Amino acid sequence: DAGITQSPRHKVTETGTPVTLRCHQTENHRYMYWYRQDPGHGLRLIHYSYGVKDTDKGEVSDGYSVSRSKTEDFLLTLESATSSQTSVYFCAISSDRDTEAFFGQGTRLTVV
Amino acid sequence: EDQVTQSPEALRLQEGESSSLNCSYTVSGLRGLFWYRQDPGKGPEFLFTLYSAGEEKEKERLKATLTKKESFLHITAPKPEDSATYLCAVYNAGNMLTFGGGTRLMVKP
C-alpha cells in the first residue's frame, strides 16, 4: 500500500468553525490531491499540488484552501465549515501528472 | 467539459457469471484512463492504467480494454470477493483527473 495517512479519520464540527484535514505521504511523490466523495456526485477534485508551495484549484474549490510547506504534507482547510461540506474527503498522491494516483483511507467530516 | 459515464450503475451477478462494465468518456486530450476498485469505507484502490486505443491490461479475473470513446472492464468467472464499486477516471491535458459515478458490483455465491 502507498504510504498515505489522513488525519483525523472522523470529525464532527459545528457550522462556522474552521477545520483542517491533514494528508501525510512517505512516497516522496510530487503530486498531491484532495477529493471529496458524495452520493450522486462521485469523486470531485477540490485542490491539488504539484510541488512545495505550488497549488491549483480543482472542480469544487470554493470554501476550501490548501497549503503544502513540505513535500510530505498537504493540508486542506475549511475556513468556516458549512453543512454542504459534510462529505468524505480523500487525499491522493501521484509521481507525475498522468500516472496513477494512490488514495488514502479517507476522512469522514460531518458539519452540524 | 470532460465527462465520464459508467454503466450500469449497479450489477448483480451469480458467482461464475462473466460480464462487462462500461466507461464512456469525452475528454480534451486524453492522457490516460484509470480503473479503480473501492470497498465500502475505504479509499479507491488502483487497478489499471490504459493510455492508447487498443491497449489491454489483465489482472487475475479482470481485463481492461480501451477504445477512442470507451473502456470496458471485463470480469471473468467472478467470485463474491470481487464485489465492490468499480470506478473509471480520465486524465486530461489540463492535469485534471475526472471520475465517473462508478458501477456497484455484487457477486452472489
Side-chain angles (χ1 to χ4, degrees):
Chain A
D1 289 347
I4 309 169
T5 304
Q6 291 187 231
S7 59
R9 293 293 313 280
H10 302 271
K11 185 171 183 65
V12 179
T13 192
E14 293 186 350
T15 299
T17 60
V19 177
T20 295
L21 308 183
R22 181 181 184 238
C23 178
H24 178 79
Q25 62 145 328
T26 58
E27 305 296 323
N28 200 36
H29 280 358
R30 179 183 175 191
Y31 288 81
M32 298 186 76
Y33 311 83
W34 277 108
Y35 288 86
R36 60 178 289 176
Q37 187 173 38
D38 306 287
H41 290 279
L43 279 157
R44 292 179 292 173
L45 181 65
I46 305 171
H47 281 280
Y48 69 98
S49 169
Y50 47 97
V52 174
K53 299 190 188 302
D54 293 322
T55 64
D56 206 348
K57 296 179 180 180
E59 179 186 358
V60 289
S61 58
D62 288 349
Y64 302 94
S65 63
V66 290
S67 66
R68 191 171 179 197
S69 59
K70 297 186 290 184
T71 299
E72 58 266 35
D73 290 326
F74 193 32
L75 303 180
L76 176 70
T77 298
L78 291 65
E79 301 290 347
S80 178
T82 68
S83 58
S84 64
Q85 293 176 311
T86 292
S87 186
V88 180
Y89 291 85
F90 288 101
C91 174
I93 63 173
S94 67
S95 58
D96 208 340
R97 67 177 190 171
D98 52 1
T99 58
E100 60 271 17
F102 298 97
F103 285 77
Q105 291 299 299
T107 294
R108 182 173 295 277
L109 176 68
T110 303
V111 183
V112 298
Chain B
E1 183 179 322
D2 298 342
Q3 282 194 323
V4 180
T5 303
Q6 292 188 246
S7 61
E9 289 187 9
L11 180 63
R12 291 175 179 262
L13 299 174
Q14 288 295 129
E15 184 172 2
E17 180 186 1
S18 301
S19 188
S20 296
L21 313 183
N22 177 264
C23 171
S24 298
Y25 64 90
T26 54
V27 62
S28 54
L30 179 69
R31 298 183 68 95
L33 185 141
F34 304 84
W35 282 98
Y36 288 85
R37 168 191 171 129
Q38 187 174 25
D39 293 299
K42 295 191 174 182
E45 175 188 348
F46 170 72
L47 293 173
F48 302 110
T49 306
L50 300 166
Y51 287 108
S52 56
E55 191 174 359
E56 298 182 352
K57 294 277 181 71
E58 285 189 69
K59 180 181 179 180
E60 296 180 356
R61 295 176 293 281
L62 301 176
K63 179 180 177 180
T65 61
L66 180 66
T67 72
K68 288 186 178 180
K69 294 185 176 181
E70 58 191 349
S71 177
F72 292 94
L73 184 65
H74 307 278
I75 303 176
T76 302
K79 298 181 177 182
E81 54 261 42
D82 293 322
S83 297
T85 296
Y86 291 85
L87 302 170
C88 168
V90 296
Y91 250 135
N92 64 19
N95 196 34
M96 293 281 207
L97 189 61
T98 301
F99 280 83
T103 293
R104 190 170 69 255
L105 174 66
M106 294 154 281
V107 182
K108 291 191 171 183

